[in-house]
Amino acid sequence: MELDEKLKLDYERVSDYWKTLADIRFRLLAIVPALGGAGLGATLAAKLAGAQLFALSLLGFLATFGIIMYDQRNSQLYNDATARAKWLERQLGFKPHAQEVWEAEVGGLFTQRPGRTLRMFGITLWHDRALSIIYGASLAAWAFLAARGVLTSTLFVTSPYSPNGVVHPDRYSLIVAVLVGIAAYQQLIKSEAKPKAESDKRPAGAPQR
């Protein structure tokens, strides 16, 4: 098999692999909000409180966190596949479309991906930021329910931390949820940027350790 044929075959396989990873990514994106919404609806309908609410919320939080962990690894593979596809486009000598506005000599679906130029309400729009917002909000929702379960439990109400039995579960649960949501968003943005930078710097096809 000639080198060009091998490169074309490699490019086809990488493109298929990339599409599979992208499909998984958006399926997970649909599952996480649905899981959170179902959990909120179930707890509100059942009027759970105390230990029962905490246990259910903890399970939901862990399940959501597990999905996010899987997505992070999927994103790393997705970025690596993109980097290799760009390298293959250079090796195959793909020509850019819209040559009059694209100064590079090499083009292709992956090489000519548009930059982050879209904005809404002054915020730059890009995939990783959207994912981080959705996942952060989902974890915050479960954290709110878990905190409320703790604050409405009998053990807490009768503890020294709750003098005279005065508890404001919604207020404090909201504070916990906001802190968890912000922390999750920042961590996800940070972790999404790292594998992409590694993929861009590492030569395509270099072995992973």
Side-chain angles (χ1 to χ4, degrees), residues 57-142:
S57 303
L58 181 61
L59 289 175
F61 186 94
L62 292 176
T64 302
F65 187 70
I67 292 174
I68 292 173
M69 289 176 63
Y70 185 91
D71 175 75
Q72 290 298 289
R73 176 57 177 168
N74 183 78
S75 295
Q76 188 179 36
L77 298 174
Y78 173 91
N79 292 329
D80 195 66
T82 301
R84 179 157 185 84
K86 290 180 179 180
W87 178 81
L88 287 167
E89 288 176 346
R90 291 195 298 271
Q91 299 304 309
L92 291 168
F94 283 9
K95 299 299 181 182
H97 66 276
Q99 182 69 52
E100 64 277 5
V101 296
W102 191 263
E103 298 179 357
E105 296 181 0
V106 180
L109 179 63
F110 296 94
T111 301
Q112 289 187 271
R113 293 181 70 181
R116 296 168 180 171
T117 56
L118 295 177
R119 296 177 65 85
M120 180 180 291
F121 305 117
I123 300 174
T124 302
L125 307 181
W126 45 294
H127 285 144
D128 295 343
R129 174 167 288 170
L131 290 170
S132 299
I133 290 174
I134 293 172
Y135 289 151
S138 298
L139 289 176
W142 287 115

Side-chain angles (χ1 to χ4, degrees), residues 126-204:
W126 45 294
H127 285 144
D128 295 343
R129 174 167 288 170
L131 290 170
S132 299
I133 290 174
I134 293 172
Y135 289 151
S138 298
L139 289 176
W142 287 115
F144 175 87
L145 293 176
R148 199 176 193 285
V150 172
L151 295 173
T152 56
S153 67
T154 304
L155 291 175
F156 181 84
V157 172
T158 58
S159 73
Y161 298 101
S162 177
N164 302 321
V166 178
V167 182
H168 301 284
D170 291 337
R171 180 189 304 172
Y172 295 119
S173 298
L174 181 60
I175 293 174
V176 171
V178 170
L179 293 176
V180 170
I182 292 174
Y185 171 81
Q186 292 178 337
Q187 186 61 40
L188 286 168
I189 285 290
K190 186 178 179 180
S191 62
E192 287 282 3
K194 186 176 180 181
K196 186 177 187 304
E198 291 176 349
S199 296
D200 290 341
K201 291 179 181 179
R202 186 175 65 252

Side-chain angles (χ1 to χ4, degrees), residues 13-29 70-83 110 131 135:
R13 290 181 176 177
V14 169
S15 297
D16 290 339
Y17 183 53
W18 183 89
K19 287 187 288 186
T20 300
L21 292 171
D23 183 60
I24 293 174
R25 196 180 207 190
F26 288 107
R27 287 179 186 272
L28 293 177
L29 188 61
Y70 185 91
D71 175 75
Q72 290 298 289
R73 176 57 177 168
N74 183 78
S75 295
Q76 188 179 36
L77 298 174
Y78 173 91
N79 292 329
D80 195 66
T82 301
F110 296 94
L131 290 170
Y135 289 151

